[in-house]
Amino acid sequence: MLAKETKQSFDDKDWLFEIKWDGYRAIAEINGTDTKLYSRNGISFLQRYPLVTNELKKIKHAAILDGEVVVLNEQGRSDFQKLQDYENNTHFPMCYYVFDLLSLNSLSTTELPLIERKKLLKKIIPKNPIIKFSDHIIENGNSFFKAAIQKELEGIMAKKMNGLYLTGTRSSEWLKIKHHNTDDVIIVGYTEPTGARRYFGALVLAIAKTGELIYAGHTGSGFNEKSLKEVYEKLQPLIIDRSPFTQKVKTNMPVTWVQPKYVCEVKFTEWTKDGRMRHPIFLHLREDKTINDMLSLKKKNSTKPAATSNENEIAFGKIKVAITNRNKLYWPKEKITKGMMIDYYQSMADYILPYLKDRPESLKRNPNGISDKGFFHKDAGTDAPSWIKSKKIYSESAEKEIDYIICNDKATLAYLNNLGCIELNPWNSTIQSPDKPDYMIIDIDPSEKNTFDQVIETALQFKKVLDKAKAGAYCKTSGATGLHIFVPMQKKYNYEEVKNFAHILCRLVNEQLPQFTSLERNLQKRGSNKIYLDYLQNRRGQTISSAYSLRPVKGASVSTPLQWKEVKKGLSPADFTIANILPRVKKLGDIFKPVLGKGVDIKKCLSYLE
């Protein structure tokens, strides 16, 4: 569970208040001799902090604890720099301050009120110089915050006493109230040093706003010789030849740009009107936070620059989805904005959602519109709203579980669009039957020298073959340069069986059109004058643009279902755009609906083809 940030302390009899510790957030799992200690992104702390690990083993209950590993300095305050450099600070005490209990004796406690969880927690924490119960006061947040300022602490935490533990959620039932303005920023470059200084002069910093990097200032303060060298050496393998910003950045000295990878925490006095940190001071690198955490986070901290005047929200009952940068041009030539894209999807929601329902989504994000390549983002991330539905599925290629977002409603659709998802790319199968696709897909993918008339001829040849096989077939534009042919399968077969069937169909079509079609995936081997008959779309985890999905290409074209009588010479994917799809669908209805209907019998189809 994660906290939101607020500026003002407060008094409230329904809230408790704790010290905000300056260390590493850590989950401890204790089960007899099997003990785990790890960060919020799964990095094990067992070897790094054996003092804590050994004391955890002395707890006699099976439990899952949430707390913070800290090192206390001369004044008894948690000191993050001493924690980071602990091998040279072992004479200072290390503690694991535990503030929550997630499980006790194999029973989940996350649905108990916080005050009850803390009562249980206090009972099972033995008197110990290292494992400590993180105590609290009730109601008097203002006086507690004043005391924290006097003691030069980082700040306090405010937590609703009857609140549940919302795993993976950034909730307003937990609030952090900081003494100093601090924030996590991304390192994107460094300037040349001057005078006797070595390594670099200042770090160039950025924040992530809906996936886009925005210049946030630069800092040369807060370093010693050791930290200068450490940061410099980490950045050397990441040097790139151009700025990651779309805007020009002014610095006093020449900049060496680096690939955005490392996150650091910076202390500063305030955010300026133009979105810069005033008087930033480097505190430390954030080993527990990655660039992906930052890019997937839509920050709403009160210390950040104020929301722009074009931000608003869409309400879906009790759920409210924030919409940012509505007036940002996503298609500059066509003068189509992000807000117009979001409005298109909301108007088409009843037609597009059936093709997204219960399907894992591979998010292709273009937060700067069609003018950049964008990036793929699969994990829902810890900062997705609590109402977002997601499903963890193991990926063999990534060798880890991916928490896929599932888009079943208009609110989730708006959330994805606001992230910059111009196109929507669902799996061929649902989370209920992930190994059995609902349909087979053949992607007719032209090379540079192919004409669209050749693409049409290829699609019509597939129609001939599928008619002979007595298989229903449905065609749509890709929205870019090709055509997609779908055949309903109704979860009757696994991916391998469907892929093999598609392979046979592609071979039969290639035999009829060898002069300009190919099953060779590699473009160099295939040549620039042959259409690729892609049957490999029929594999677990593969995605393709959904019916009625916009595409990030010139003209704001839409992947549009077609009547077969429309698949003829003169057809162009550019004819179907954001401007004319809703009237078309209202007139024709959803002609793609049979794709989700009764599936074909592959054995019978093959017998007809013999």
Side-chain angles (χ1 to χ4, degrees), residues 488-527:
M489 291 290 151
Q490 203 182 11
K491 298 182 172 66
K492 293 180 181 179
Y493 306 97
N494 63 36
Y495 272 104
E496 189 68 17
E497 292 165 328
V498 173
K499 183 189 73 175
N500 290 341
F501 181 42
H503 189 192
I504 290 169
L505 297 173
C506 288
R507 284 175 57 190
L508 291 172
V509 169
N510 176 236
E511 286 172 6
Q512 296 301 313
L513 304 172
Q515 66 276 24
F516 59 83
T517 68
S518 172
L519 274 67
E520 176 56 61
R521 191 176 192 183
N522 186 293
L523 180 59
Q524 288 184 331
K525 293 180 180 178
R526 180 170 83 241

Side-chain angles (χ1 to χ4, degrees), residues 139-337:
E139 185 176 353
N140 299 313
N142 287 325
S143 59
F144 191 57
F145 186 58
K146 287 177 184 175
I149 293 173
Q150 290 171 0
K151 295 287 186 184
E152 280 295 314
L153 301 179
E154 189 189 3
I156 65 171
M157 299 294 298
K159 298 179 180 179
K160 208 163 189 179
M161 286 199 296
N162 66 355
L164 311 184
Y165 190 98
L166 305 174
T167 303
T169 299
R170 190 175 296 278
S171 170
S172 56
E173 294 190 354
W174 282 18
L175 300 172
K176 50 188 173 184
I177 309 165
K178 293 181 180 180
H179 176 198
H180 302 289
N181 282 337
T182 67
D183 222 325
D184 296 324
V185 288
I186 301 162
I187 301 171
V188 294
Y190 59 86
T191 63
E192 288 184 9
T194 58
R197 184 158 179 162
R198 297 203 295 165
Y199 303 112
F200 60 86
L203 295 179
V204 183
L205 307 170
I207 60 169
K209 191 172 184 181
T210 58
E212 180 184 357
L213 292 177
I214 305 295
Y215 176 60
H218 54 276
T219 179
S221 303
F223 298 96
N224 55 30
E225 188 74 7
K226 182 181 178 182
S227 58
L228 279 169
K229 182 181 179 184
E230 177 193 6
V231 173
Y232 179 80
E233 290 177 346
K234 284 180 178 292
L235 298 180
Q236 292 315 289
L238 304 176
I239 292 174
I240 54 178
D241 59 4
R242 62 188 180 90
S243 167
F245 299 122
T246 54
Q247 73 270 47
K248 287 185 178 180
V249 172
K250 291 183 180 180
T251 56
N252 296 329
M253 297 297 291
V255 177
T256 299
W257 300 108
V258 298
Q259 178 185 341
K261 178 180 179 181
Y262 290 108
V263 176
C264 66
E265 187 173 8
V266 173
K267 181 168 69 173
F268 58 100
T269 55
E270 63 178 345
W271 286 98
T272 65
K273 288 182 179 179
D274 57 353
R276 311 282 189 265
M277 291 180 290
R278 194 185 300 281
H279 308 133
I281 299 171
F282 175 85
L283 294 177
H284 50 79
L285 291 174
R286 287 295 305 265
E287 295 181 29
D288 59 334
K289 189 168 270 193
T290 68
I291 181 69
N292 288 333
D293 294 327
M294 301 292 284
L295 288 172
S296 65
L297 177 63
K298 185 183 182 306
K299 292 198 174 231
K300 298 172 82 173
N301 294 345
S302 58
T303 56
K304 283 289 179 71
T308 56
S309 60
N310 63 340
E311 290 189 356
N312 54 20
E313 63 184 17
I314 304 176
F316 301 89
K318 292 182 179 179
I319 295 173
K320 291 180 172 60
V321 181
I323 304 299
T324 59
N325 300 313
R326 256 192 172 272
N327 295 329
K328 191 172 198 176
L329 282 175
Y330 266 28
W331 285 265
K333 185 180 177 182
E334 295 82 1
K335 306 294 186 219
I336 296 172
T337 65

